mmCIF file of all heavy atoms in Angstrom:
data_model
loop_
_atom_site.group_PDB
_atom_site.id
_atom_site.type_symbol
_atom_site.label_atom_id
_atom_site.label_comp_id
_atom_site.label_asym_id
_atom_site.label_seq_id
_atom_site.Cartn_x
_atom_site.Cartn_y
_atom_site.Cartn_z
ATOM 1 N N GLU A 279 -8.966 -3.738 1.062
ATOM 2 C CA GLU A 279 -9.529 -3.948 2.396
ATOM 3 C C GLU A 279 -10.633 -2.931 2.696
ATOM 4 O O GLU A 279 -10.958 -2.683 3.869
ATOM 5 C CB GLU A 279 -8.418 -3.849 3.444
ATOM 6 C CG GLU A 279 -7.445 -5.007 3.420
ATOM 7 C CD GLU A 279 -8.069 -6.306 3.907
ATOM 8 O OE1 GLU A 279 -8.720 -6.299 4.968
ATOM 9 O OE2 GLU A 279 -7.917 -7.328 3.209
ATOM 10 N N ILE A 280 -11.218 -2.358 1.656
ATOM 11 C CA ILE A 280 -12.310 -1.402 1.839
ATOM 12 C C ILE A 280 -13.518 -2.132 2.429
ATOM 13 O O ILE A 280 -13.851 -3.235 2.013
ATOM 14 C CB ILE A 280 -12.688 -0.745 0.499
ATOM 15 C CG1 ILE A 280 -11.510 0.062 -0.045
ATOM 16 C CG2 ILE A 280 -13.911 0.143 0.654
ATOM 17 C CD1 ILE A 280 -11.721 0.568 -1.461
ATOM 18 N N LEU A 281 -14.165 -1.498 3.388
ATOM 19 C CA LEU A 281 -15.339 -2.083 4.030
ATOM 20 C C LEU A 281 -16.618 -1.475 3.464
ATOM 21 O O LEU A 281 -16.669 -0.274 3.198
ATOM 22 C CB LEU A 281 -15.297 -1.834 5.535
ATOM 23 C CG LEU A 281 -14.092 -2.390 6.311
ATOM 24 C CD1 LEU A 281 -14.170 -1.952 7.768
ATOM 25 C CD2 LEU A 281 -14.045 -3.909 6.202
ATOM 26 N N VAL A 282 -17.637 -2.311 3.279
ATOM 27 C CA VAL A 282 -18.969 -1.803 2.951
ATOM 28 C C VAL A 282 -19.612 -1.464 4.293
ATOM 29 O O VAL A 282 -20.124 -2.332 4.994
ATOM 30 C CB VAL A 282 -19.795 -2.849 2.180
ATOM 31 C CG1 VAL A 282 -21.191 -2.304 1.892
ATOM 32 C CG2 VAL A 282 -19.093 -3.238 0.886
ATOM 33 N N ASN A 283 -19.526 -0.182 4.610
ATOM 34 C CA ASN A 283 -19.867 0.238 5.962
ATOM 35 C C ASN A 283 -20.065 1.754 5.956
ATOM 36 O O ASN A 283 -19.484 2.454 5.124
ATOM 37 C CB ASN A 283 -18.705 -0.130 6.897
ATOM 38 C CG ASN A 283 -19.093 -0.186 8.355
ATOM 39 O OD1 ASN A 283 -19.858 -1.052 8.760
ATOM 40 N ND2 ASN A 283 -18.569 0.730 9.148
ATOM 41 N N PRO A 284 -20.866 2.307 6.863
ATOM 42 C CA PRO A 284 -20.957 3.767 6.955
ATOM 43 C C PRO A 284 -19.576 4.374 7.168
ATOM 44 O O PRO A 284 -18.725 3.797 7.850
ATOM 45 C CB PRO A 284 -21.862 3.982 8.181
ATOM 46 C CG PRO A 284 -22.701 2.750 8.237
ATOM 47 C CD PRO A 284 -21.787 1.635 7.797
ATOM 48 N N THR A 285 -19.326 5.520 6.579
ATOM 49 C CA THR A 285 -18.005 6.147 6.684
ATOM 50 C C THR A 285 -17.684 6.528 8.121
ATOM 51 O O THR A 285 -18.577 6.851 8.910
ATOM 52 C CB THR A 285 -17.909 7.398 5.797
ATOM 53 O OG1 THR A 285 -18.970 8.297 6.142
ATOM 54 C CG2 THR A 285 -18.004 7.024 4.334
ATOM 55 N N ALA A 286 -16.413 6.475 8.448
ATOM 56 C CA ALA A 286 -15.963 6.779 9.803
ATOM 57 C C ALA A 286 -16.256 8.240 10.153
ATOM 58 O O ALA A 286 -15.994 9.142 9.356
ATOM 59 C CB ALA A 286 -14.470 6.492 9.931
ATOM 60 N N ASN A 287 -16.782 8.467 11.357
ATOM 61 C CA ASN A 287 -17.012 9.840 11.811
ATOM 62 C C ASN A 287 -15.736 10.396 12.423
ATOM 63 O O ASN A 287 -14.716 9.712 12.523
ATOM 64 C CB ASN A 287 -18.184 9.905 12.798
ATOM 65 C CG ASN A 287 -17.971 9.014 14.022
ATOM 66 O OD1 ASN A 287 -16.840 8.819 14.482
ATOM 67 N ND2 ASN A 287 -19.056 8.468 14.547
ATOM 68 N N ILE A 288 -15.779 11.641 12.850
ATOM 69 C CA ILE A 288 -14.593 12.317 13.365
ATOM 70 C C ILE A 288 -14.040 11.623 14.593
ATOM 71 O O ILE A 288 -12.825 11.549 14.803
ATOM 72 C CB ILE A 288 -14.897 13.807 13.668
ATOM 73 C CG1 ILE A 288 -13.615 14.527 14.077
ATOM 74 C CG2 ILE A 288 -15.980 13.918 14.728
ATOM 75 C CD1 ILE A 288 -12.555 14.559 13.013
ATOM 76 N N PHE A 289 -14.917 11.046 15.415
ATOM 77 C CA PHE A 289 -14.454 10.363 16.615
ATOM 78 C C PHE A 289 -13.713 9.076 16.259
ATOM 79 O O PHE A 289 -12.677 8.759 16.852
ATOM 80 C CB PHE A 289 -15.646 10.064 17.529
ATOM 81 C CG PHE A 289 -16.391 11.289 17.964
ATOM 82 C CD1 PHE A 289 -17.635 11.591 17.419
ATOM 83 C CD2 PHE A 289 -15.848 12.155 18.901
ATOM 84 C CE1 PHE A 289 -18.317 12.733 17.804
ATOM 85 C CE2 PHE A 289 -16.535 13.302 19.299
ATOM 86 C CZ PHE A 289 -17.768 13.593 18.746
ATOM 87 N N ARG A 290 -14.236 8.341 15.272
ATOM 88 C CA ARG A 290 -13.577 7.120 14.838
ATOM 89 C C ARG A 290 -12.233 7.436 14.180
ATOM 90 O O ARG A 290 -11.243 6.734 14.414
ATOM 91 C CB ARG A 290 -14.483 6.383 13.851
ATOM 92 C CG ARG A 290 -13.950 5.058 13.320
ATOM 93 C CD ARG A 290 -13.903 4.003 14.403
ATOM 94 N NE ARG A 290 -12.557 3.841 14.964
ATOM 95 C CZ ARG A 290 -12.285 3.031 15.964
ATOM 96 N NH1 ARG A 290 -13.239 2.332 16.545
ATOM 97 N NH2 ARG A 290 -11.043 2.921 16.419
ATOM 98 N N LYS A 291 -12.201 8.484 13.378
ATOM 99 C CA LYS A 291 -10.948 8.877 12.730
ATOM 100 C C LYS A 291 -9.901 9.265 13.761
ATOM 101 O O LYS A 291 -8.719 8.912 13.640
ATOM 102 C CB LYS A 291 -11.196 10.040 11.766
ATOM 103 C CG LYS A 291 -12.015 9.687 10.538
ATOM 104 C CD LYS A 291 -12.260 10.922 9.687
ATOM 105 C CE LYS A 291 -13.142 10.626 8.499
ATOM 106 N NZ LYS A 291 -13.432 11.840 7.699
ATOM 107 N N THR A 292 -10.331 9.991 14.795
ATOM 108 C CA THR A 292 -9.405 10.392 15.853
ATOM 109 C C THR A 292 -8.882 9.174 16.602
ATOM 110 O O THR A 292 -7.687 9.065 16.896
ATOM 111 C CB THR A 292 -10.094 11.344 16.843
ATOM 112 O OG1 THR A 292 -10.542 12.508 16.143
ATOM 113 C CG2 THR A 292 -9.137 11.763 17.953
ATOM 114 N N SER A 293 -9.783 8.232 16.872
ATOM 115 C CA SER A 293 -9.384 7.006 17.558
ATOM 116 C C SER A 293 -8.394 6.208 16.726
ATOM 117 O O SER A 293 -7.399 5.687 17.245
ATOM 118 C CB SER A 293 -10.624 6.164 17.864
ATOM 119 O OG SER A 293 -10.260 4.955 18.506
ATOM 120 N N ASP A 294 -8.648 6.122 15.423
ATOM 121 C CA ASP A 294 -7.735 5.391 14.541
ATOM 122 C C ASP A 294 -6.369 6.072 14.469
ATOM 123 O O ASP A 294 -5.337 5.403 14.434
ATOM 124 C CB ASP A 294 -8.338 5.280 13.138
ATOM 125 C CG ASP A 294 -9.466 4.259 13.067
ATOM 126 O OD1 ASP A 294 -9.502 3.351 13.918
ATOM 127 O OD2 ASP A 294 -10.308 4.375 12.162
ATOM 128 N N ALA A 295 -6.370 7.394 14.449
ATOM 129 C CA ALA A 295 -5.099 8.130 14.419
ATOM 130 C C ALA A 295 -4.285 7.851 15.679
ATOM 131 O O ALA A 295 -3.049 7.690 15.627
ATOM 132 C CB ALA A 295 -5.366 9.621 14.279
ATOM 133 N N LEU A 296 -4.967 7.769 16.818
ATOM 134 C CA LEU A 296 -4.287 7.458 18.076
ATOM 135 C C LEU A 296 -3.752 6.025 18.063
ATOM 136 O O LEU A 296 -2.638 5.768 18.549
ATOM 137 C CB LEU A 296 -5.240 7.657 19.250
ATOM 138 C CG LEU A 296 -5.558 9.108 19.619
ATOM 139 C CD1 LEU A 296 -6.636 9.160 20.697
ATOM 140 C CD2 LEU A 296 -4.302 9.825 20.099
ATOM 141 N N LEU A 297 -4.543 5.108 17.501
ATOM 142 C CA LEU A 297 -4.074 3.729 17.389
ATOM 143 C C LEU A 297 -2.780 3.654 16.586
ATOM 144 O O LEU A 297 -1.828 2.985 16.969
ATOM 145 C CB LEU A 297 -5.138 2.861 16.709
ATOM 146 C CG LEU A 297 -6.247 2.254 17.565
ATOM 147 C CD1 LEU A 297 -7.107 1.339 16.716
ATOM 148 C CD2 LEU A 297 -5.687 1.511 18.747
ATOM 149 N N THR A 298 -2.763 4.353 15.450
ATOM 150 C CA THR A 298 -1.564 4.370 14.617
ATOM 151 C C THR A 298 -0.364 4.893 15.394
ATOM 152 O O THR A 298 0.733 4.317 15.345
ATOM 153 C CB THR A 298 -1.794 5.237 13.363
ATOM 154 O OG1 THR A 298 -2.823 4.638 12.561
ATOM 155 C CG2 THR A 298 -0.526 5.356 12.525
ATOM 156 N N THR A 299 -0.568 5.972 16.130
ATOM 157 C CA THR A 299 0.511 6.556 16.927
ATOM 158 C C THR A 299 1.013 5.582 17.977
ATOM 159 O O THR A 299 2.226 5.409 18.168
ATOM 160 C CB THR A 299 0.036 7.853 17.610
ATOM 161 O OG1 THR A 299 -0.331 8.800 16.602
ATOM 162 C CG2 THR A 299 1.127 8.442 18.481
ATOM 163 N N HIS A 300 0.090 4.917 18.665
ATOM 164 C CA HIS A 300 0.484 3.984 19.721
ATOM 165 C C HIS A 300 1.231 2.778 19.167
ATOM 166 O O HIS A 300 2.219 2.321 19.762
ATOM 167 C CB HIS A 300 -0.759 3.523 20.482
ATOM 168 C CG HIS A 300 -1.401 4.613 21.287
ATOM 169 N ND1 HIS A 300 -2.713 4.565 21.708
ATOM 170 C CD2 HIS A 300 -0.911 5.788 21.756
ATOM 171 C CE1 HIS A 300 -3.000 5.652 22.384
ATOM 172 N NE2 HIS A 300 -1.923 6.420 22.421
ATOM 173 N N VAL A 301 0.787 2.260 18.016
ATOM 174 C CA VAL A 301 1.474 1.120 17.416
ATOM 175 C C VAL A 301 2.864 1.542 16.926
ATOM 176 O O VAL A 301 3.853 0.821 17.126
ATOM 177 C CB VAL A 301 0.656 0.520 16.256
ATOM 178 C CG1 VAL A 301 1.464 -0.554 15.528
ATOM 179 C CG2 VAL A 301 -0.643 -0.071 16.784
ATOM 180 N N LYS A 302 2.947 2.705 16.315
ATOM 181 C CA LYS A 302 4.253 3.207 15.852
ATOM 182 C C LYS A 302 5.213 3.375 17.021
ATOM 183 O O LYS A 302 6.407 3.063 16.917
ATOM 184 C CB LYS A 302 4.075 4.543 15.124
ATOM 185 C CG LYS A 302 3.517 4.429 13.721
ATOM 186 C CD LYS A 302 3.445 5.804 13.066
ATOM 187 C CE LYS A 302 2.992 5.720 11.628
ATOM 188 N NZ LYS A 302 2.926 7.059 10.997
ATOM 189 N N THR A 303 4.699 3.877 18.134
ATOM 190 C CA THR A 303 5.537 4.064 19.328
ATOM 191 C C THR A 303 6.040 2.724 19.844
ATOM 192 O O THR A 303 7.215 2.575 20.205
ATOM 193 C CB THR A 303 4.747 4.779 20.428
ATOM 194 O OG1 THR A 303 4.336 6.066 19.959
ATOM 195 C CG2 THR A 303 5.593 4.945 21.690
ATOM 196 N N ALA A 304 5.152 1.727 19.866
ATOM 197 C CA ALA A 304 5.559 0.399 20.319
ATOM 198 C C ALA A 304 6.645 -0.174 19.417
ATOM 199 O O ALA A 304 7.615 -0.779 19.894
ATOM 200 C CB ALA A 304 4.345 -0.529 20.353
ATOM 201 N N LEU A 305 6.503 0.004 18.114
ATOM 202 C CA LEU A 305 7.509 -0.489 17.170
ATOM 203 C C LEU A 305 8.832 0.251 17.335
ATOM 204 O O LEU A 305 9.909 -0.349 17.287
ATOM 205 C CB LEU A 305 7.004 -0.329 15.734
ATOM 206 C CG LEU A 305 5.797 -1.170 15.317
ATOM 207 C CD1 LEU A 305 5.314 -0.758 13.936
ATOM 208 C CD2 LEU A 305 6.133 -2.649 15.340
ATOM 209 N N ALA A 306 8.746 1.563 17.531
ATOM 210 C CA ALA A 306 9.952 2.388 17.614
ATOM 211 C C ALA A 306 10.763 2.125 18.869
ATOM 212 O O ALA A 306 11.977 2.366 18.887
ATOM 213 C CB ALA A 306 9.568 3.866 17.542
ATOM 214 N N THR A 307 10.117 1.631 19.899
ATOM 215 C CA THR A 307 10.812 1.431 21.179
ATOM 216 C C THR A 307 11.221 -0.022 21.401
ATOM 217 O O THR A 307 11.776 -0.344 22.455
ATOM 218 C CB THR A 307 9.916 1.889 22.349
ATOM 219 O OG1 THR A 307 8.657 1.215 22.281
ATOM 220 C CG2 THR A 307 9.686 3.390 22.297
ATOM 221 N N ASP A 308 10.970 -0.888 20.435
ATOM 222 C CA ASP A 308 11.374 -2.287 20.567
ATOM 223 C C ASP A 308 12.632 -2.528 19.735
ATOM 224 O O ASP A 308 12.620 -2.318 18.518
ATOM 225 C CB ASP A 308 10.242 -3.210 20.098
ATOM 226 C CG ASP A 308 10.476 -4.651 20.522
ATOM 227 O OD1 ASP A 308 11.518 -5.220 20.138
ATOM 228 O OD2 ASP A 308 9.616 -5.190 21.237
ATOM 229 N N PRO A 309 13.732 -2.962 20.365
ATOM 230 C CA PRO A 309 15.001 -3.130 19.638
ATOM 231 C C PRO A 309 15.002 -4.282 18.644
ATOM 232 O O PRO A 309 15.931 -4.403 17.835
ATOM 233 C CB PRO A 309 16.005 -3.387 20.774
ATOM 234 C CG PRO A 309 15.177 -4.000 21.862
ATOM 235 C CD PRO A 309 13.850 -3.298 21.783
ATOM 236 N N ARG A 310 13.972 -5.117 18.671
ATOM 237 C CA ARG A 310 13.952 -6.277 17.770
ATOM 238 C C ARG A 310 13.516 -5.933 16.355
ATOM 239 O O ARG A 310 13.604 -6.777 15.456
ATOM 240 C CB ARG A 310 13.026 -7.358 18.340
ATOM 241 C CG ARG A 310 13.470 -7.951 19.663
ATOM 242 C CD ARG A 310 12.389 -8.856 20.224
ATOM 243 N NE ARG A 310 11.186 -8.095 20.555
ATOM 244 C CZ ARG A 310 10.027 -8.669 20.914
ATOM 245 N NH1 ARG A 310 9.931 -9.986 20.943
ATOM 246 N NH2 ARG A 310 8.983 -7.916 21.217
ATOM 247 N N ILE A 311 13.043 -4.720 16.145
ATOM 248 C CA ILE A 311 12.515 -4.359 14.831
ATOM 249 C C ILE A 311 12.813 -2.900 14.527
ATOM 250 O O ILE A 311 12.890 -2.068 15.440
ATOM 251 C CB ILE A 311 10.988 -4.617 14.779
ATOM 252 C CG1 ILE A 311 10.465 -4.457 13.347
ATOM 253 C CG2 ILE A 311 10.238 -3.739 15.755
ATOM 254 C CD1 ILE A 311 9.042 -4.965 13.177
ATOM 255 N N SER A 312 12.997 -2.589 13.259
ATOM 256 C CA SER A 312 13.183 -1.209 12.827
ATOM 257 C C SER A 312 11.840 -0.659 12.361
ATOM 258 O O SER A 312 11.292 -1.106 11.358
ATOM 259 C CB SER A 312 14.199 -1.123 11.679
ATOM 260 O OG SER A 312 14.225 0.185 11.150
ATOM 261 N N ALA A 313 11.317 0.303 13.112
ATOM 262 C CA ALA A 313 10.016 0.885 12.769
ATOM 263 C C ALA A 313 10.050 1.546 11.403
ATOM 264 O O ALA A 313 9.005 1.706 10.755
ATOM 265 C CB ALA A 313 9.604 1.896 13.836
ATOM 266 N N ARG A 314 11.237 1.916 10.929
ATOM 267 C CA ARG A 314 11.369 2.556 9.625
ATOM 268 C C ARG A 314 10.888 1.640 8.494
ATOM 269 O O ARG A 314 10.473 2.115 7.441
ATOM 270 C CB ARG A 314 12.835 2.953 9.399
ATOM 271 C CG ARG A 314 13.117 3.698 8.106
ATOM 272 C CD ARG A 314 14.598 3.972 7.972
ATOM 273 N NE ARG A 314 14.901 4.687 6.744
ATOM 274 C CZ ARG A 314 14.908 6.004 6.611
ATOM 275 N NH1 ARG A 314 14.620 6.755 7.657
ATOM 276 N NH2 ARG A 314 15.207 6.580 5.465
ATOM 277 N N ASN A 315 10.935 0.339 8.725
ATOM 278 C CA ASN A 315 10.586 -0.616 7.679
ATOM 279 C C ASN A 315 9.153 -1.126 7.773
ATOM 280 O O ASN A 315 8.780 -2.069 7.068
ATOM 281 C CB ASN A 315 11.557 -1.803 7.727
ATOM 282 C CG ASN A 315 12.959 -1.397 7.324
ATOM 283 O OD1 ASN A 315 13.143 -0.726 6.320
ATOM 284 N ND2 ASN A 315 13.941 -1.779 8.119
ATOM 285 N N VAL A 316 8.356 -0.515 8.645
ATOM 286 C CA VAL A 316 6.965 -0.923 8.795
ATOM 287 C C VAL A 316 6.062 0.301 8.683
ATOM 288 O O VAL A 316 6.255 1.283 9.396
ATOM 289 C CB VAL A 316 6.714 -1.616 10.147
ATOM 290 C CG1 VAL A 316 5.248 -2.018 10.272
ATOM 291 C CG2 VAL A 316 7.610 -2.834 10.310
ATOM 292 N N LYS A 317 5.093 0.237 7.789
ATOM 293 C CA LYS A 317 4.096 1.304 7.667
ATOM 294 C C LYS A 317 2.829 0.852 8.371
ATOM 295 O O LYS A 317 2.366 -0.275 8.171
ATOM 296 C CB LYS A 317 3.819 1.627 6.204
ATOM 297 C CG LYS A 317 2.743 2.698 6.009
ATOM 298 C CD LYS A 317 2.700 3.209 4.569
ATOM 299 C CE LYS A 317 3.817 4.197 4.304
ATOM 300 N NZ LYS A 317 3.645 4.919 3.014
#
């Protein structure tokens, strides 16, 4: 899934890190799924 695109800058990397955290939090707080089984 590599993109032919300019490399992500520090702001984009920070935004992506926050996205990952928010999605993980949503998974961890929903009883219908085990966040341990999703990367």
